[in-house]
Amino acid sequence: MFDPVIAPSGTLLGLLQRGRGDGTLHALTAPRAEALAALNHCVLRDPRHDWQVENRSLYYARLFLDLNGELDAVEAHLFEAEDVLDTDESRTGLALAVLGHLACYGRRDALDLLRRYAAHGSNWAWALDELALRDDDAGLRALAAPVLARFPADPEGEAELAAAVRDAFEPRPWRLWAEDPREPIAARVRAARETGCFDRWQRQMRPTGPRPGWSVRAVFEWAHQGMERGAALHVPAARCLVAVAGPEDRPEIVRAARDGIDGARCTALRYLADGNDPDALPLIEAAVADGTAPVVEAALDAFERMRSIAAVNRARGWAQRPDPLGAAAGRVLACRGGIQDSDLVLGALREAVRGEGPDAATLWTLVDGAGRLGITCAAPVLRHVYRETASSHLRGRTARALAATDPSFATGFAVECLWDCEETTREIAARHAETGDARVVERLRRLAADPAEEDEVQTAVRSRFGPDIAAG
């Protein structure tokens, strides 16, 4: 998937792309045509860097409802010629998920679009999964023939059909079709389901990898072979060493951690770190100094997993190093340091924002650490990360940290967080937003009555007002 271009955070488009609550609030006061144009831009050009951890679909669907938005642009996007040329699910997945939520809210036009796309679109499996959660049995049964027609009635087509049935995220349509009164449809789906179950059983009966009785050297070789294929196997290989290595193997493992080939070195470093071996920390430091990129990454990861007092003490000495080991040390202190480490964690947080910007991967841990340690001096930089990051997941973690460090959070960002795209962020807001603001009370009541809202958010709402809030 292409890297999305995110507009400045002070613009309506930038706010909506980020999924910020202020995006909804600004859209509702902007000219309707301008708001719908920005909304359609987001839905048709997925702004998320990682759709697996960031939510947008319910956020955009709710705004479509509030604006009474038409779906013409979504329909044109789904059925344009590009759908045949670019079959990557990232092109249409967000739009289909938004339609799913709209269908749940009773938008018949959204349901009809999903049905049409499931019958004729390239990303039909995603549309079918959305319908599996929202459509009735009759609507799903009507899709059996067009979906099965996608698979030729030859060995290759039947194999593809079996894989589609086996890998379906939502099995409900296939179960219905297996009981279809039209025998040709039912028989074909039942055969595909049986084939998929048999394929899964065969894979389970043909495991690859270490076997009982393997030696330490064999485990190292397996890990390196994986690395040569582009598969990082040092983590499972380190677990294998726990089973096969004895005290007499320690010298060999230490040698591998010091100067072994990459797969063996990564495995040995992980094994020694997980076991809190006394040589692990100096070997990690050496690996960062002279290892290849995969070895450095494995060494840093192994260090950050260590829970020992020795590792935390070493992190205090490494935290101000201007290299990846210093950055990793800052993260270790953010996770496991004490109040005495607040200045080091704050310094690491400021340096990360200054050097890598508000979307740096290291910020996830450092932001959590600032909140855990209650570093009130971190509030200004946390507010900057909150405003500027393109990651709604990081913004949610920042909101949690601000709740613990910023006295103004309850009357400031917590209010807009009630409209945020992430349910965890809305939950934080529901627990902290100051109810003296009339918008807060109205929004809490709406969240409590919304059947699409997550249980955790509604539980947080009830903790503020009691279980009868929706009736008020």
Side-chain angles (χ1 to χ4, degrees), residues 300-316 318 325-338 341 345 362 365-366 369 372-373:
L300 295 175
D301 184 57
F303 171 52
E304 291 185 52
R305 286 175 51 84
M306 297 183 73
R307 301 290 190 270
S308 65
I309 295 175
V312 175
N313 287 334
R314 190 65 64 94
R316 291 176 178 132
W318 287 343
L325 189 54
R331 294 190 292 270
V332 168
L333 296 177
C335 291
R336 288 178 284 282
D341 302 308
V345 174
T362 191
T365 304
L366 295 174
R372 183 181 72 83
L373 296 172

Side-chain angles (χ1 to χ4, degrees), residues 221-237:
E221 290 175 354
W222 177 67
H224 191 70
Q225 289 167 5
M227 183 168 287
E228 290 180 328
R229 298 193 307 269
L233 298 178
H234 64 276
V235 174

Side-chain angles (χ1 to χ4, degrees), residues 18 27 38 42 132 137 146 156 161 177 187 189 212 233 236 250 288 346 355 396 420 434 441 446 467 472:
R18 289 168 172 80
C42 294
D137 287 357
E156 183 177 348
L161 175 59
W177 299 344
V189 173
L233 298 178
R250 184 179 179 277
V288 172
L346 177 59
D420 198 88
E434 175 56 59
V441 176
R446 181 170 177 179

